[in-house]
């Protein structure tokens, strides 16, 4: 079957009339192949797009870690901007878009890797495209070198801590003290295994090793820096994927709340925004995970030149802050998960808040929540798209809202 690609879907697949979904295809390309279940699994490119480039990674054809490496940087940047723009237009909204901020190659400081024992050792990597098979990634162009260099340690942990048929997953994070590893899906932790795992962590110089929810050892402090302030996050906790992406988002947030004296930071995490803001304003940080707030509070107590910062552990989906609780803050920062913050945004809209800085990883829920704010009298100031998940369809957004 021969088809012409009309557009890209939200997962980065080409879509032709039908619809027919075609992986690694670009708009305008003519492709041919067998179609089953609405998908052309092995397309042959008959007429390539001028935006098609040679993927820089030798693993790209089979690895599921990236999905847009066959497209030029300019094409991906424009496409990601358009994804956010179209999401807003669906709700009748327009905005000033700033140039996209894209993280460089080999800058992912946090990644989820899979491991499995083999006859001769262990295999560590990403899953292949649309399957549960693991592919090794020695030439990966995505990960920070320190994360990639931790693979021998992960192999040793896999051999020691899994059975032959089981798969183990690792959350690997580069920190100032070294690599922080959270392992999930391994053998139950007992005394002898704990000793063996600790020995492996020491041998390879891991900063910290956590097995499921139990700390095996902490050899070096797994510290992150937010605007120069040191934080020790809980194992496997949320962290912006790249330092470049974090800096771009923080810059946009600080610009929006500049001049505010009291700032409310919702879904604050460990303080990615709270700590930089505390250099210029008092902060109230609200987050559902108490352990993340403990890390934030400790960082604030040891920080220098920071204004007053308080924390509150609260499920903002079930118990959003009400208008009376929002009163008195000059600005609100909100950075919810992919589901957005529909209930909390409704309370902000009903309050007397005038200034909101919204950070989002989902254009659809971002546009929905933006519509609620605009309906309550806010105007969108600017939209900053940040691409820290390079070569993937994921996108981050920072936007400012001012109620006139």
């Amino acid at each position: 079957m021969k088809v012409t690609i009309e557009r890209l879907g939200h997962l980065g697949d080409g879509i032709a009339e039908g619809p027919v979904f075609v992986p690694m295809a670009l708009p305008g390309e003519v492709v041919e192949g067998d179609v089953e279940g609405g998908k052309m699994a092995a397309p042959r490119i008959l007429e390539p797009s001028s935006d098609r480039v040679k993927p820089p990674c030798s693993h790209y054809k089979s690895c599921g870690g990236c999905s847009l490496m066959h497209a030029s940087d300019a094409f991906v940047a424009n496409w990601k901007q358009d994804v956010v723009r179209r999401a807003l237009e669906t709700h009748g909204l327009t905005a000033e878009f700033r140039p996209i901020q894209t993280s460089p190659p080999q800058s992912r400081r946090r990644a989820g890797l899979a491991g499995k024992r083999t006859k001769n050792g262990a295999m560590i990597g990403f899953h292949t495209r649309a399957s549960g098979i693991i592919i090794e990634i020695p030439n990966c162009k995505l990960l920070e070198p320190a994360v990639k260099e931790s693979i021998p340690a992960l192999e040793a942990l896999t051999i020691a801590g899994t059975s032959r048929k089981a798969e183990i997953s690792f959350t690997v994070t580069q920190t100032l003290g070294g690599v922080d590893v959270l392992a999930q899906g391994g053998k139950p932790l007992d005394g002898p295994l704990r000793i063996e795992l600790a020995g492996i962590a020491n041998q390879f110089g891991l900063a910290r090793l956590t097995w499921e929810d139990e700390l095996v050892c902490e050899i070096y402090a797994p510290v992150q820096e937010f605007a120069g302030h040191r934080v020790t996050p809980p194992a496997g906790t949320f962290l912006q994927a790249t330092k470049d992406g974090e800096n771009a988002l923080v810059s946009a947030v600080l610009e929006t709340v500049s001049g505010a004296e009291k700032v409310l930071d919702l879904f604050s995490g460990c303080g990615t925004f709270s700590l930089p803001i505390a250099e210029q304003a008092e902060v109230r940080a609200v987050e559902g995970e108490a352990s993340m707030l403990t890390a934030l509070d400790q960082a604030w107590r040891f920080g220098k030149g920071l204004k007053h910062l308080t924390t509150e552990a609260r499920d903002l989906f079930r118990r959003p802050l009400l208008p009376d609780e929002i009163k008195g803050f000059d600005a609100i920062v909100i950075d919810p998960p992919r589901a957005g913050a529909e209930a909390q945004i409704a309370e902000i809209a009903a309050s007397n808040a005038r200034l909101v800085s919204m950070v989002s990883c989902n254009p659809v829920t971002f546009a929905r929540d933006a519509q609620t704010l605009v309906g309550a009298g806010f105007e969108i100031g600017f939209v900053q798209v940040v691409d820290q998940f390079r070569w993937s369809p994921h996108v981050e957004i920072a936007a400012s809202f001012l109620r006139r």
Side-chain angles (χ1 to χ4, degrees):
M1 183 177 183
K2 183 188 296 185
V3 297
T4 300
I5 305 301
E6 298 176 346
R7 66 189 190 281
L8 292 192
H10 68 281
L11 295 179
D13 281 357
I15 301 178
E17 186 178 358
V20 176
F21 294 88
V22 185
M24 293 185 284
L26 296 174
E29 291 188 326
V30 177
V31 301
E32 185 179 54
D34 296 330
V35 176
E36 185 175 345
K39 184 172 181 178
M40 185 182 292
R44 295 182 294 279
I45 309 297
L46 302 180
E47 297 180 21
S49 166
S50 59
D51 291 307
R52 177 170 289 277
V53 298
K54 181 180 179 181
C57 180
S58 59
H59 312 303
Y60 180 61
K61 285 187 178 181
S62 53
C63 178
C66 297
S67 57
L68 288 169
M69 199 176 268
H70 60 285
S72 68
D73 288 349
F75 173 87
V76 175
N78 290 332
W79 179 70
K80 291 195 173 189
Q81 294 270 69
D82 285 342
V83 166
V84 180
R85 186 177 289 108
R86 287 196 300 271
L88 288 173
E89 289 173 350
T90 299
H91 293 275
L93 303 176
T94 60
E96 170 206 338
F97 276 70
R98 294 183 170 178
I100 190 170
Q101 298 288 318
T102 301
S103 296
Q106 296 184 302
S107 63
R108 281 283 295 276
R109 61 181 175 181
R110 185 174 187 269
L113 297 172
K116 201 164 187 177
R117 288 178 59 182
T118 64
K119 289 183 179 180
N120 299 317
M123 176 181 291
I124 303 293
F126 290 125
H127 288 110
T128 57
R129 204 176 306 277
S131 84
I133 300 171
I134 298 172
I135 178 173
E136 294 180 299
I137 50 170
N139 300 318
C140 180
K141 304 301 180 183
L142 193 65
L143 303 178
E144 267 197 4
V147 174
K148 194 164 62 172
E149 289 164 7
S150 72
I151 287 177
L154 304 183
E155 291 174 343
L157 293 172
T158 300
I159 294 170
T162 63
S163 62
R164 276 295 302 271
K165 294 184 178 181
E167 181 176 304
I168 188 170
S169 62
F170 295 103
T171 301
V172 185
T173 307
Q174 172 65 4
T175 77
L176 295 181
V179 173
D180 184 19
V181 176
L182 167 64
Q184 295 172 297
K187 296 177 182 177
L189 190 62
D190 56 20
L193 180 58
R194 182 187 294 272
I195 293 172
E196 185 176 6
L197 295 177
I200 294 170
N202 185 68
Q203 175 188 351
F204 288 95
L206 301 181
R208 177 173 64 184
L209 174 61
T210 306
W211 202 259
E212 300 295 345
D213 57 355
E214 290 192 54
L215 176 66
V216 173
C217 60
E218 184 175 309
I219 302 170
Y220 309 101
V223 173
Q224 300 289 343
E225 274 192 350
F226 299 148
H229 304 287
R230 296 195 159 206
V231 183
T232 303
T237 196
F238 174 79
L239 186 72
Q240 297 297 340
T242 71
K243 195 64 180 178
D244 295 84
E246 177 188 298
N247 290 340
L249 293 172
V250 169
S251 178
V253 169
L254 290 178
E255 179 184 344
T256 300
V257 305
S258 177
E261 296 182 358
K262 294 185 68 176
V263 177
L264 180 62
D265 186 6
L266 304 176
F267 301 95
S268 66
C270 295
T272 301
F273 304 117
S274 289
L275 290 169
I277 293 170
E279 294 181 349
Q280 64 185 37
E282 293 184 15
V283 178
R284 176 72 168 174
V286 185
E287 163 62 45
E289 296 291 334
S291 60
M292 298 175 79
L293 292 177
T294 299
L296 168 56
D297 183 69
Q298 186 174 27
W300 172 73
R301 292 178 184 278
F302 285 94
K304 295 181 180 180
L306 297 177
K307 300 199 176 212
H308 192 54
L309 186 150
T310 58
T311 63
E312 178 184 357
R314 181 164 174 168
D315 185 339
L316 293 171
F317 293 106
R318 298 187 178 191
R319 293 180 55 233
L321 267 68
L322 302 176
D324 283 350
E325 297 173 285
I326 293 170
K327 187 185 300 181
F329 289 97
D330 304 310
I332 299 172
V333 177
I334 184 166
D335 180 15
R338 289 190 61 79
E342 190 171 15
Q344 185 60 78
I345 288 291
E347 299 298 342
I348 293 172
S351 74
N352 63 355
R354 292 190 62 251
L355 188 61
V356 175
S357 177
M358 191 192 304
V359 178
S360 173
C361 59
N362 185 340
V364 174
T365 55
F366 164 72
R368 178 201 66 199
D369 293 344
Q371 183 187 40
T372 299
L373 293 179
V374 171
F378 285 87
E379 295 180 0
I380 306 177
F382 67 81
V383 172
Q384 173 68 70
V385 178
V386 176
D387 183 6
Q388 58 177 331
F389 291 92
R390 191 183 181 100
W391 298 312
S392 88
H394 299 298
V395 63
E396 307 278 333
I397 308 152
S400 63
F401 296 82
L402 176 64
R403 179 142 51 187
R404 300 296 179 185

